[in-house]
Structures are given as structure tokens and as C-alpha cells.
Amino acid sequence: MMMATSALASCLANGLGALCDPTASPPFSSWGFSSGLNSSGSSIYGSSPSTGSSREPSIGSIGSIDLQEMLQALNGDLLDADVDATCRNCERLPVARCSACNTVLCKPCAGCHHSDHVLIRVEDGLPFNMAVPPPCLPKPPMHLSMAVTRPPSVPPSLTTRAPPPSSRPAARQARSPPTRMAVLPRAAALCEVHAGEVLVSYCETCSVGTCSACAASASHVGHTLAQLTVVKGVTEKYLRDATAGAQAARDHLERNSGVAAAVEAKAMQVASDIRCCTRQMVAAIEARERQLLADVQEIASLKARSLQVQADVLRSLHERYVRLSESLRDTLALGQGVDVVHARDKAAVELAQLRAAKANNTGRPSQQPYEDETITFTPPEPILSKALTSMGAVSSSGYALSSVAAGEGLTRAVRGRPAAFTVHVKSHLEASVPVVPGELDVVLVAPEGGANVRGDVEDRGDGTAVVVYRARAEGLHALHVLLRGRHIVGSPFSVAVRPPRSYDGVRAASATIGGEGSEEGRFLRPWGVCCDRQGRIIVADRSNNRIQVFGADGKFAFAFGSQGTAPGQFDRPAGVAVDLGGRIVVADKDNHRVQIFDPEGRFIKTFGQCGAQNGNFNYPWDVDVNGSGEIVVSDTRNNRIQLFSPEGTFLRKYGWETTTSMWRHFDTPRGVAFNRDGYVICTDFNNHRLVVVEPSFRHARFLGGEGSGPKQFQRPQGVAIDGDNNIIVADSRNNRVQVFEGNGIYRCQIGLPVEMDRPSGVCVTPDGKIAVVDFGNNRVLLL
């Protein structure tokens, strides 16, 4: 190696004359150098010898090779690529590095200015001997830096072909020229304040590198210091993340391209099937054929466009990951400690932006392309001439940009409480299509630091799916609804999650609605109350024979109904409820029926009449509606509860008729409410307790007894279930409201100093407040 280095130095000092002598044997063959050709015989600059390019391998090509690469090629070893190009003092080629001040020097400067320092030879890292130093190389031309120029007398034989492999030593033939120069660690960075001290940390507060002495000094007391080794480890992790991201983007892009090709192939196949079918038909169906082909083309175009959008995003992500990977790799290889810190910070920002870009486009890393090749053609019945005008049908899979969602769970939820919404899955032609298992994905992305939640998807079999989730954290969430990895219309949705309501410590009403009277906004002996999704408060104004509707702020909105027996008229209405569609259901007590109105109070239908048969009533008192639209009614004088379909068809009942001697145990039921598990909670008025009826309506359990203590009642009336499945009971003659957990455990009571006179109806508003009818005071209190 030393001989090769000395020969190179001599050649450079003599203008490459020894190497360019046409009579001399080419020394490159003995050193494994191939005149600018790599191991495959092609130019290391990428030009093939057969192209006749001006960059054909030659000694002239060596003119742009860095001196370090030439030494590497000559001696077969790897040198430090970080050595400075020229002497710090005079810009000649360096021969040594000063270990004290970490500068590179030529021979004269090393002898004149640093003779008393420890010097290290640049070429091999050994101690520099001033008595026998390497020759001081001449200063190169400024425009070539450390490049070597070719004398004009070089014979063509040395510039056009490398020596045959057989003329090289066996060891040199086995070694292929490296495609990328390896890098040795460069000297440690030194502190600018304390001479000779190595930088070991970085002050995040001052944004400077620090040595051990700096860290112990008073100037950095209380500052945040980061160890450079730790910073380097974090930066290396960012490099791995960037590399993995680039690979994932490339893999997704390949799958995307594959599906795009499959879509095109399937579209061509379906188009061919359509043509074969239509050619068997008469000319009258040609217009239909064109329409079907147009449908296929539209689906294929939308699929291709969707895949192209995803491909563009993936390609952009891939390019950004690659650029970041290369930048981090170069910084880790060539940069000093502070450079690595800056690279770390920039990499952290760039990776955060890449992750945000990925989330904005997919919500999470998509494991499959947006589309598939699903395009089908259903041929018509050939014997039916009347079907010719609507021959066949073209359909496809669900398409995110046509699919929509609706429901309260898209905008608000309560921590720990189930929130729901419905997704309508549509095809590229906006027709309802079945929900394919696994293709609809719902993720509730929590605020920073919170846990994400995946929603449960239930397919209803009609092109819709019900999604239920439970938020684990409070605050503003992003709800991602993805169909085949792509956001549906409106996604991501912004969901405000509030904490569950705590009823402990309620000492006063936050608002009061009404007062005695028959004017708008006033009441006479009111009983039932409920809230819709918009927060409107709906009250059964019993002795005024009307239903009054108030805004969420308690202001009067409108009223409907009057005394009578005609549709839309009432005789002492009691219970009131609202279903998921906003319909208002009223127990028209003294008319022995149930009436249903739209959200604006317009009459829709009525069912029931006075009697004891199934579907008949004897003073129906209260109503409630579950998530399926089923209606439960407390049939007071018949001592039973009955369940009806959303349209008023009798389904089943529970009471004295279904259980032996039940009349003794179920006396004058009043309030009814569904809990989230499908049970019906009913107040047993004259038995001073609650009856919990199972969804089958075959068995029941009891809670409480007569008294004024906790978990005791005096004439309980209304009952409601909040979002946490807590049971809220209007304990009428005890002038209080009691709260129980879903399993019946007593939680608290709301009474004095909140003054109430025989509370009756009760409900929970969307924002978690309790609305209770203060019967004796002809008003509604918000607690």
C-alpha cells in the first residue's frame, strides 16, 4: 500500500509523466485500476464504451475523480472522505492533520506553524514524521479542487481499454471497485469555549454544543442538555422510519398499479360480455347498449381516477421519504455533532408532516388500494321483450366518494357512552350496494396523547351499516370513516366529546321553564317531558291539552294540539317521547290511545283504543322509544306494559296477564324507559318500587321499596336513562330525584335545597342535564 501511495505522489509531482510514458508498462494493471471502468466493464460515470460518448472512459476521465477515490483504487483501502480538500493556511494539498487544533496542513505549514504539535498523516492515520515526511503536493487548480488533470501526451491505448482481467493478480481480480466510498469516523468536534475539550452534548436552551466543562459551568445551569450519542440514536431511528416509509409507499404503489391494471382488464372483459349479449338483440336495444357501456366507462374512469389520486399521493410520499433518508444518511456520515442535532430536528418535523399528510389522505396507512376490479354485468332475460328497453345492469363495489353518513355520533359524544351513526354505502353510480366485511373501517382519532378507538360496524344488509363507538378521552376528536382505505363524503368528521355528567353536588336549578297558566310557555298540571337530538325540550301540558316545544335555551318555540278526540287533539296527554327520526310520540291518556306526530307537530297516525285486549289501553300513561323505533307504553289501569312496532303493531306485553298473581306485584305502572341493553325500567306507582323487565318480556326484577331513605320511594313517577346507563327516578311524594347505576346501586339524590313539589316526568338533555317536571309548581327545572 505504501509503495502504491508513493508512486501516486511521485506521478502527481511530475505531472503524471511516469504514468503517461508510452514505453512504460501501465501500472494500473498491477494495482487493480481499470481506467474508469467498473467491474462489469462499463464506465463508472454511466456511459457505455460503445456509445461514442465524450465521457468514454479514459485517463481524461480521471480528471474528475477525487484524489481520495484514486488512492482508494490504487491501494485497495478505504480512506476518510471527510478530510478537507486543501490546507487551511495555503490551500495546497494536505499531508497531515493537527490533533490539537483539528486542522489539515501541507508539509510547509506543518513544519512552520505546528512543529510542536502531534500531527497525524492524512493518507493512513499514522504519526507524521517531520524528518521523513511525504512530499508536499502542489496546489491544484481552483476549479478542479482535488481533481487531477490529464497531460496531452497520454497514449490512446491507456484511455480506451482496461488491462485484461487475466493480467491482474488474483487478489485484485476478486475485489470489485466500490460503488460508494466508505467513510471513517472523523475527528471529534471540539468546544469553542474550552480549548481541546470534545463536544459531548447539546444545549437545547442555548442551541449550542457543549463539552463537559460547559455543562458544569454556571452558564448552563437549569438548561436542557441532550447527549450527542442519544441524539444520534434518535436520528438513526428517524432514518429507519424514513426508509421503512419509503418502502411501504413503494409497495402500496405497486399494489395500486396492479389493481389499476386489473380494473382496466375487468372493464374490457365486461365490455366484451356486453357486446356479445347486445349483438344477439335487435336494433331496438342499441341505445341501451350504449348506456351500459357508458356506465362501465364511468365506473372504470372513476376507479382509475381514484387509483391515480392514491398513486400520486403514494408517489409523493415515497419521494419525500427517499429525500429524507438520503439527507439523514449523509448527515450521519459526514456531519458533526451539532449537524446531527439540526438534522434530527428537521427530520422530526418532516416525519410529522409526512404522517399528517398520510393521515389526511387515509386516516391511517392503507393496506390496500382504494379500489378493486369489481365491475359486473347482469344480462337480461332474453325471452322478455319488455325488458329490452332496460336490458341488463352494470354495478360495482362501494365507492367512497359516493357514500355518505348521518347521525348524532358524527358530531358529538360523551366519554364512555356509546355513540352511533349510519353509513350509506353506494357504488360509483350512486346505487346502494352491500357492505363487504372488512372494507368499511371507522377510527376515532383522539387528541394528542389520547388513545384512538375503532368503531364496531354492523351491516344491516340493505346497503347501510350502523357504526357504534365509545370515546375514551374528552375534547375534539377526528372521526375517520374509510371505505377501502379512502374517506367517504365529509370524512374526517369533527366530534366533540364531553365528560359524563356527575350528579353529585347539585344544589340549584340552572334554568326554569314555565309557570302556572294557559298562555304560551306556561303550564297546567304538566306531566311528561322529553328531549330530541337538537336539544329541544318537549312537554306534555296535560290540563291545557297540548304539547309545547321549547328550544335548548328554554325559550318557547311552538305548541300543537287542543281539547278533543279527533286526530291531533288530546284529552289530558301524559307521556311524551321522541324516536331517532324525530317523530313525537304522545300517550293521549284519557283518549286511551297513542298518537304520532312529525318534528313540527303535524299529525301522522294513531293506534289503540279503550279496552283490555292486546293493543288496547286503559289510561296509557307514559311512552318511550328504543333505537329500533319500537314503542313501549305503560297501560296503567290494565296493570301491564305493552310493546309495539314503529308503526303501532302489537308485539308483546308484560303484566298480570302473563304472570300468575302479577296484579299483586305490578300495581298502576307509570313511567317507562329503555336502557341501552334493551331492558324496560318501569315505576311501580302503588308498590313504591322499580320493575326491571327483560327484553323478552317474560321475566322481571324489582328494585327498592316504600320509604324515604336511599333506594326507597313514595309514589315514583317518571323514569329516564342517561348516556352512562344510570337510572334517574322522579320520587314524587319524597319531592326528590334519585340516581342509580345501571346495576341498581344507589348513587345520589337531588332534592333540598332544590325545592320540588311532586316531580313527575323526567328526561336527560343531550348536554347531560336533567329536565324534571315540577308538577305541583307547574314548571320544568333543568338540574
Side-chain angles (χ1 to χ4, degrees):
M1 179 185 72
M2 293 300 298
M3 293 177 61
T5 306
S6 299
L8 173 64
S10 299
C11 293
L12 293 173
N14 294 286
L16 291 178
L19 295 178
C20 301
D21 184 358
T23 62
S25 60
F28 301 104
S29 61
S30 62
W31 293 335
F33 192 79
S34 59
S35 299
L37 297 178
N38 59 23
S39 59
S40 63
S42 62
S43 168
I44 61 176
Y45 299 104
S47 300
S48 172
S50 62
T51 62
S53 170
S54 61
R55 303 183 68 176
E56 183 172 338
S58 65
I59 291 297
S61 300
I62 301 175
S64 59
I65 301 178
D66 188 85
L67 176 60
Q68 303 299 329
E69 296 182 6
M70 292 187 63
L71 289 175
Q72 173 189 335
L74 289 171
N75 57 34
D77 294 325
L78 302 177
L79 300 181
D80 186 356
D82 282 341
V83 174
D84 292 344
T86 59
C87 174
R88 292 289 178 88
N89 296 328
C90 63
E91 298 188 354
R92 291 186 177 88
L93 295 182
V95 297
R97 180 190 294 275
C98 177
S99 63
C101 56
N102 201 36
T103 58
V104 292
L105 306 161
C106 66
K107 172 190 170 186
C109 294
C112 295
H113 306 293
H114 298 264
S115 58
D116 57 343
H117 293 179
V118 178
L119 303 178
I120 304 300
R121 288 197 310 212
V122 170
E123 66 178 47
D124 54 11
L126 297 176
F128 183 81
N129 188 351
M130 289 297 298
V132 189
C136 186
L137 300 180
K139 178 180 177 180
M142 292 301 294
H143 69 284
L144 294 179
S145 183
M146 294 185 67
V148 182
T149 58
R150 175 176 61 89
S153 61
V154 176
S157 60
L158 293 180
T159 67
T160 58
R161 186 177 301 276
S166 60
S167 66
R168 305 176 185 175
R172 295 303 183 188
Q173 294 183 39
R175 180 188 293 132
S176 298
T179 58
R180 183 180 179 89
M181 179 174 289
V183 178
L184 292 177
R186 69 177 299 151
L190 299 179
C191 180
E192 296 179 357
V193 179
H194 302 88
E197 291 292 333
V198 178
L199 297 179
V200 296
S201 59
Y202 179 79
C203 180
E204 301 278 6
T205 306
C206 303
S207 300
V208 296
T210 56
C211 64
S212 299
C214 293
S217 67
S219 60
H220 293 281
V221 172
H223 291 187
T224 302
L225 299 179
Q227 296 296 318
L228 294 180
T229 55
V230 175
V231 172
K232 182 177 180 180
V234 173
T235 307
E236 290 173 344
K237 179 183 180 300
Y238 289 160
L239 172 60
R240 292 192 296 271
D241 291 347
T243 303
Q247 179 63 42
R250 183 165 55 249
D251 294 343
H252 296 160
L253 183 60
E254 291 176 356
R255 287 197 292 270
N256 181 280
S257 299
V259 174
V263 168
E264 182 178 1
K266 192 62 177 290
M268 294 176 62
Q269 176 186 344
V270 172
S272 176
D273 293 342
I274 294 173
R275 291 189 181 95
C276 290
C277 179
T278 55
R279 284 173 184 150
Q280 300 174 11
M281 305 298 172
V282 295
I285 64 172
E286 290 179 353
R288 180 61 178 170
E289 177 190 18
R290 287 192 297 270
Q291 180 61 52
L292 293 173
L293 293 175
D295 290 345
V296 172
Q297 185 60 37
E298 183 178 357
I299 292 173
S301 175
L302 289 172
K303 282 179 174 284
R305 188 182 310 164
S306 176
L307 292 167
Q308 182 61 44
V309 169
Q310 186 183 28
D312 292 341
V313 172
L314 293 173
R315 190 175 292 107
S316 174
L317 290 174
H318 175 260
E319 292 174 358
R320 292 178 65 182
Y321 276 121
V322 169
R323 287 197 300 269
L324 180 58
S325 300
E326 293 176 353
S327 175
L328 291 173
R329 188 177 292 109
D330 292 342
T331 300
L332 290 172
L334 305 176
Q336 297 186 12
V338 177
D339 297 333
V340 176
V341 172
H342 295 161
R344 175 205 64 180
D345 295 340
K346 292 180 180 179
V349 174
E350 180 67 6
L351 286 174
Q353 292 175 351
L354 287 170
R355 294 189 189 101
K358 187 186 301 181
N360 288 336
N361 285 279
T362 64
R364 64 187 182 90
S366 178
Q367 301 301 317
Q368 58 186 352
Y370 287 154
E371 299 291 347
D372 59 11
E373 69 275 18
T374 302
I375 305 177
T376 58
F377 169 66
T378 304
E381 293 292 338
I383 61 174
L384 301 177
S385 58
K386 65 179 181 180
L388 294 180
T389 56
S390 59
M391 180 193 68
V394 174
S395 60
S396 67
S397 56
Y399 183 47
L401 298 186
S402 295
S403 301
V404 296
E408 183 179 0
L410 296 175
T411 57
R412 59 189 179 188
V414 178
R415 175 174 55 82
R417 179 187 299 182
F421 61 93
T422 302
V423 179
H424 300 268
V425 180
K426 297 182 181 295
S427 70
H428 296 72
L429 301 179
E430 299 189 358
S432 296
V433 294
V435 180
V436 178
E439 289 193 349
L440 185 61
D441 192 15
V442 178
V443 179
L444 183 69
V445 180
E448 184 175 357
N452 295 345
V453 174
R454 193 170 299 281
D456 295 326
V457 179
E458 180 184 352
D459 179 20
R460 287 188 169 180
D462 58 355
T464 64
V466 176
V467 180
V468 179
Y469 66 87
R470 294 175 186 267
R472 301 175 184 173
E474 300 164 12
L476 194 62
H477 291 57
L479 182 62
H480 296 258
V481 184
L482 308 171
L483 182 61
R484 296 191 58 82
R486 189 173 193 181
H487 290 280
I488 68 169
V489 176
S491 178
F493 302 92
S494 181
V495 180
V497 180
R498 65 172 179 81
R501 171 71 188 276
S502 174
Y503 303 109
D504 299 328
V506 176
R507 294 292 180 266
S510 61
T512 300
I513 302 174
E516 184 175 358
S518 58
E519 301 87 355
E520 291 181 346
R522 304 186 75 83
F523 307 110
L524 283 178
R525 303 176 67 81
W527 195 93
V529 62
C530 69
C531 286
D532 62 13
R533 292 186 175 186
Q534 289 71 42
R536 299 189 309 174
I537 300 172
I538 304 169
V539 184
D541 188 7
R542 188 169 54 166
S543 292
N544 281 324
N545 294 298
R546 65 186 177 186
I547 304 296
Q548 296 200 67
V549 180
F550 299 83
D553 57 359
K555 294 182 179 180
F556 174 80
F558 64 92
F560 61 92
S562 61
Q563 170 70 38
T565 59
Q569 293 182 327
F570 302 108
D571 189 359
R572 302 176 65 81
V576 61
V578 177
D579 66 12
L580 292 178
R583 301 190 310 171
I584 301 173
V585 183
V586 181
D588 190 5
K589 181 172 67 73
D590 287 9
N591 278 327
H592 310 287
R593 64 185 179 182
V594 172
Q595 296 196 71
I596 301 177
F597 302 83
D598 71 9
E600 304 305 319
R602 291 183 288 267
F603 174 80
I604 297 178
K605 68 178 307 177
T606 183
F607 61 89
Q609 59 184 0
C610 186
Q613 302 299 317
N614 293 342
N616 293 338
F617 303 110
N618 191 357
Y619 294 100
W621 204 284
D622 196 15
V623 291
D624 195 25
V625 186
N626 62 17
S628 300
E630 295 174 336
I631 303 170
V632 63
V633 184
S634 58
D635 191 5
T636 305
R637 298 288 177 86
N638 283 327
N639 294 305
R640 65 185 179 183
I641 60 174
Q642 297 190 73
L643 185 69
F644 298 85
S645 73
E647 301 306 317
T649 302
F650 172 81
L651 298 176
R652 50 187 176 271
K653 61 187 177 183
Y654 182 83
W656 67 274
E657 300 166 291
T658 57
T659 305
T660 303
S661 301
M662 186 63 200
W663 64 272
R664 297 179 181 177
H665 305 290
F666 207 12
D667 188 358
T668 316
R670 288 285 178 91
V672 288
F674 286 100
N675 72 5
R676 69 187 181 197
D677 300 315
Y679 289 80
V680 177
I681 315 299
C682 180
T683 56
D684 195 358
F685 183 76
N686 286 330
N687 283 323
H688 314 287
R689 64 184 177 185
L690 299 181
V691 178
V692 182
V693 181
E694 295 182 352
S696 64
F697 274 47
R698 294 183 179 180
H699 305 283
R701 289 172 287 175
F702 307 95
L703 174 66
E706 185 174 4
S708 58
K711 208 174 181 177
Q712 293 181 329
F713 304 99
Q714 285 286 349
R715 307 283 187 180
Q717 299 237 37
V719 61
I721 309 297
D722 71 4
D724 297 324
N725 214 32
N726 294 317
I727 304 171
I728 303 170
V729 184
D731 188 6
S732 176
R733 293 301 175 92
N734 281 324
N735 296 309
R736 66 184 180 182
V737 172
Q738 293 196 70
V739 181
F740 302 85
E741 294 182 3
N743 56 9
I745 297 177
Y746 173 82
R747 283 191 56 182
C748 66
Q749 72 173 22
I750 303 173
L752 292 175
V754 178
E755 295 183 356
M756 290 182 284
D757 182 5
R758 289 166 290 166
S760 55
V762 64
C763 73
V764 180
T765 66
D767 59 358
K769 294 180 181 179
I770 297 177
V772 57
V773 174
D774 189 5
F775 175 81
N777 290 315
N778 295 291
R779 63 183 181 178
V780 175
L781 301 177
L782 294 181
L783 306 176

